[in-house]
């Protein structure tokens, strides 16, 4: 009996981490081709091709044998997020979508994507059955400055609001959504 592929949704799939995550998920394990079906959610403003889902990001995904499907998604739209989950029925979600630029001075846009987008994703994931496992990706910046000799740990205190910029503040708020 052939095993069904694991259905995976990756938000922010066309970013630096997303492209590497997809490559890792597609890599053969113990000489056997990975059994995954990945929905690569790209920002709705980027053109998405069904045959080359990463063309807009400068990477076409290579030969993935139909295991990766590109799909436009505006994470700020709760209805679009729910529709994506209902349509693709992911078992696992890797949430990478974020406004990450430290130079991004648009506080509202950063909050809408990083905080509200996460809220929409988590609420939608809770409302579908069966609920998928969700991995939220944050940043070490939530801990502020750290000693290079002692990397930050999850139990460490969070950075003071406003001290390390919009991005760190938004990721602290994003983590509070979980």
């Amino acid at each position: 009996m052939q095993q069904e592929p694991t259905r995976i949704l990756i938000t922010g799939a066309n970013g630096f981490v997303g492209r590497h995550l997809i490559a890792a998920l597609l890599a053969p394990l113990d000489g056997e081709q990975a059994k995954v079906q990945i929905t690569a959610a790209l920002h709705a403003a980027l053109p998405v091709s069904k045959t080359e889902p990463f063309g807009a990001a400068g990477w076409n995904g290579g030969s993935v044998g139909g295991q990766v499907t590109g799909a436009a998604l505006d994470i700020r739209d709760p209805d679009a997020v729910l529709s994506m989950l209902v349509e693709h029925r992911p078992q696992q979600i890797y949430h990478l979508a974020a406004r990450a630029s430290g130079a991004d001075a648009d506080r509202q846009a950063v909050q809408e994507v990083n905080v509200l987008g996460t809220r929409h994703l988590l609420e939608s994931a809770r409302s579908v059955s069966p609920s998928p496992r969700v991995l939220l990706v944050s940043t070490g910046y939530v801990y502020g400055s750290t000693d290079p000799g002692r990397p930050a740990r999850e139990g460490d205190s969070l950075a003071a609001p406003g001290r390390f910029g919009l991005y760190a503040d938004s990721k602290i708020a994003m983590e509070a959504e979980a």
Side-chain angles (χ1 to χ4, degrees), residues 2 6 13 40-41 44 55 70 83 131 133-134 142 149 153 165 168 173:
Q2 189 170 347
T6 301
S83 291
S131 293
R133 297 186 82 176
V134 180
V142 300
R153 294 177 177 82

Side-chain angles (χ1 to χ4, degrees), residues 61-146:
S63 175
V64 293
Q67 290 180 285
V68 180
T69 302
L73 177 66
D74 185 345
I75 197 79
R76 300 168 303 172
D77 180 348
D79 295 330
V81 174
L82 180 58
S83 291
M84 170 103 25
L85 269 60
V86 168
E87 179 182 349
H88 295 279
R89 302 177 307 115
Q91 296 160 301
Q92 300 173 9
I93 299 173
Y94 296 87
H95 181 44
L96 306 174
R99 294 284 297 255
S101 172
D104 197 340
D106 187 344
R107 179 175 282 284
Q108 181 176 342
V110 170
Q111 292 297 317
E112 286 175 355
V113 172
N114 297 4
V115 182
L116 293 178
T118 299
R119 181 180 303 154
H120 302 323
L121 182 67
L122 292 173
E123 287 174 354
S124 294
R126 285 184 202 107
S127 71
V128 296
S129 181
S131 293
R133 297 186 82 176
V134 180
L135 175 69
L136 301 179
V137 177
S138 189
T139 177
Y141 291 125
V142 300
Y143 301 110
S145 295
T146 58

